[in-house]
Amino acid sequence: HNLLIERGISKPYEWLHPNYSYEHSPMLFNEMKKGIEMLNSVIRNPEASILVVVDSDLDGYTSGAIILTLLKNIQRGQDINFVLHPNKEHGIVLEDIPEDVNLVIVPDAGSSQKEEHLKLLSNGIKLIILDHHEMVNDMEYGEYKDNITIINSQEENYPNHALSGAGVTLKFVQAYCEKYGTPMPSKLYALAACGIIADVMDISNLENKQMVTRGLSYIKEHAFLYKLIQDGHYNIDEPEPTIKDIGWIIGPNINAIIRLGTQEQKYIIFKALVSPNLLISSSKRGEEDQDVPVFEEAVRLCKNAKKRQTTAVDKSIRIIQDELEIRDTDRAIVYVDEEQKLTFELSGLIANKLLSQYNRPVILLRKYKDNKVDELRG
């Protein structure tokens, strides 16, 4: 009890034993009613086209998988697609949006992209944003106000500002299912738990703790997530999923593909989150003519990417150590990748490893040029 109080948990017993009452009503979001009604109006048109924009991290992938699961359950002939960013882009990339789309859903991103919103709205495309990032947006859309919904956990009226993108998306699915009588798959809580933990959200918050606890109880029902955990506990046949398993097994494995995988591999990982038992052709050498569940292929790809990632991080560390004389008196480690020798998609991992080795701030930078922009980024 005293330890949890010291760690900032104001109600230790309640925190250790969370229950459904800690989950706030999704209707507390300002535009939740508007958002679910907008989706329902599009779903009533069997010729409509819906696109989900999937953000480039595990919270983004799980958010996308949650909303896509709902769309697949309620579709009535609509053309439903998703787009994955090739690198680490975030939010709406206009070039990725076809002109004939009727509705674009952006989970875990997009709240502040007003310029992109207006361009899509002016082309007759409706928008639903399900986000948790800071909002820099005056929310004035004039003639287009009825065609855009922004639902964000940073809203003043919603009590839990520590909800991740996957959490906000789950609340949207909850609201839709309650209003329109659609069964909600319990395994969506498993995806939400992964998003909340992978995005390092505050789980001293009782709603987050309840959603994560409930999600852990359903991970065994999700073949891809549970197989990753089983492989991580290679000496235990039936491990009980824990928060640590999400943070140190599921997250790093899937993020390795998001950082280093090909576009085709990213599609396989995302499909494994949405429909883990879907059959696809194996890409394993010597087994190309065999159909396997997509979750098995995804686990194999994750493990290979994780190995490549470890090798690339270690190589980058050696490059920095060879070029910099890091002294005990240095107040920080600053490295500019002039010749682009580092695997810069892994700059965060590289910086964190240097931080743990030398216990001082680390800045890794690379030159960036784009039209009028000429600066160092990293």
Side-chain angles (χ1 to χ4, degrees):
H1 178 94
N2 290 340
L3 175 63
L4 291 175
I5 291 288
E6 294 274 341
R7 297 282 172 88
I9 309 295
S10 59
K11 299 179 179 179
Y13 182 84
E14 289 85 346
W15 186 82
L16 287 169
H17 305 280
N19 61 58
Y20 298 127
S21 70
Y22 300 156
E23 294 188 40
H24 305 298
S25 167
M27 304 314 291
L28 291 174
F29 287 100
N30 295 333
E31 298 203 336
M32 183 63 80
K33 182 173 183 289
K34 176 183 173 184
I36 60 176
E37 288 176 354
M38 182 187 294
L39 174 59
N40 188 251
S41 70
V42 174
I43 285 294
R44 287 204 299 266
N45 175 10
E47 297 181 1
S49 175
I50 302 174
L51 181 73
V52 177
V53 177
V54 182
D55 215 48
S56 301
D57 59 17
L58 184 53
D59 192 30
Y61 272 48
T62 51
S63 301
I66 289 168
I67 195 66
L68 207 67
T69 300
L70 172 68
L71 294 175
K72 286 181 175 295
N73 286 349
I74 63 176
Q75 74 180 117
R76 304 173 185 174
Q78 293 81 11
D79 185 20
I80 295 173
N81 291 299
F82 62 90
V83 60
L84 304 178
H85 300 308
N87 299 306
K88 288 287 286 179
E89 301 93 341
H90 290 283
I92 298 167
V93 178
L94 291 173
E95 293 76 18
D96 293 341
I97 314 283
E99 292 183 1
D100 58 351
V101 169
N102 300 105
L103 172 66
V104 171
I105 303 178
V106 188
D108 189 35
S111 292
S112 300
Q113 292 184 276
K114 186 171 181 180
E115 183 178 339
E116 287 83 354
H117 299 166
L118 289 170
K119 286 183 179 177
L120 294 174
L121 290 166
S122 65
N123 288 334
I125 297 173
K126 294 182 178 181
L127 275 169
I128 296 176
I129 310 293
L130 307 170
D131 196 10
H132 71 116
H133 297 94
E134 184 180 359
M135 298 173 68
V136 184
N137 188 335
D138 60 17
M139 303 292 284
E140 293 294 330
Y141 285 92
E143 63 182 297
Y144 302 120
K145 63 181 173 54
D146 293 336
N147 291 332
I148 179 167
T149 298
I150 299 179
I151 298 168
N152 190 305
S153 58
Q154 301 310 309
E155 294 174 17
E156 186 177 344
N157 288 344
Y158 196 73
N160 177 12
H161 297 324
L163 204 56
S164 75
V168 174
T169 306
L170 185 74
K171 304 303 281 190
F172 181 85
V173 173
Q174 278 180 338
Y176 189 94
C177 291
E178 288 171 10
K179 167 100 177 179
Y180 296 105
T182 301
M184 183 176 139
S186 298
K187 69 177 182 181
L188 296 187
Y189 271 89
L191 293 169
C194 290
I196 290 168
I197 296 302
D199 240 34
V200 201
M201 307 311 293
D202 179 8
I203 59 166
S204 67
N205 179 286
L206 288 179
E207 181 176 49
N208 282 1
K209 183 60 160 51
Q210 156 62 14
M211 292 174 77
V212 168
T213 302
R214 188 173 177 188
L216 287 170
S217 70
Y218 290 115
I219 279 185
K220 285 187 175 181
E221 295 182 17
H222 196 291
F224 176 37
L225 299 178
Y226 192 55
K227 180 62 176 172
L228 283 173
I229 292 175
Q230 285 179 307
D231 274 28
H233 292 270
Y234 59 90
N235 58 341
I236 301 175
D237 290 335
E238 296 290 330
E240 284 300 319
T242 66
I243 289 173
K244 188 175 179 181
D245 291 330
I246 295 175
W248 294 98
I249 297 175
I250 292 174
N253 273 282
I254 294 177
N255 279 327
I257 286 286
I258 295 172
R259 292 188 186 103
L260 296 179
T262 64
Q263 199 68 356
E264 182 183 358
Q265 290 171 343
K266 292 176 185 180
Y267 271 87
I268 290 171
I269 298 303
F270 186 69
K271 286 177 182 176
L273 288 170
V274 179
S275 304
N277 294 308
L278 177 76
L279 291 179
I280 65 167
S281 298
S282 174
S283 64
K284 188 175 182 180
R285 190 176 301 168
E287 299 180 7
E288 290 85 354
D289 58 340
Q290 296 183 23
D291 285 342
V292 296
V294 67
F295 81 86
E296 291 184 5
E297 182 76 358
V299 168
R300 189 179 66 80
L301 292 174
C302 284
K303 289 166 68 175
N304 292 341
K306 188 75 166 49
K307 290 175 186 174
R308 295 199 310 275
Q309 178 177 279
T310 301
T311 301
V313 169
D314 291 343
K315 181 182 176 183
S316 296
I317 294 284
R318 288 195 298 272
I319 289 169
I320 294 170
Q321 289 172 328
D322 288 345
E323 294 188 20
L324 290 182
E325 183 186 347
I326 302 172
R327 299 177 294 255
D328 291 340
T329 54
D330 291 337
R331 294 180 63 188
I333 298 169
V334 182
Y335 181 82
V336 179
D337 188 18
E338 298 275 8
E339 299 178 25
Q340 301 198 4
K341 295 179 181 178
L342 307 186
T343 307
F344 219 71
E345 297 86 350
L346 305 177
S347 55
L349 294 177
I350 297 164
N352 271 311
K353 189 160 186 180
L354 284 169
L355 173 66
S356 65
Q357 277 185 247
Y358 294 99
N359 196 29
R360 67 202 70 181
V362 179
I363 302 174
L364 299 184
L365 300 168
R366 177 177 282 184
K367 286 187 176 179
Y368 178 86
K369 283 190 177 184
D370 180 19
N371 298 326
K372 296 179 182 179
V373 177
D374 185 2
E375 59 193 19
L376 294 172
R377 291 185 178 182

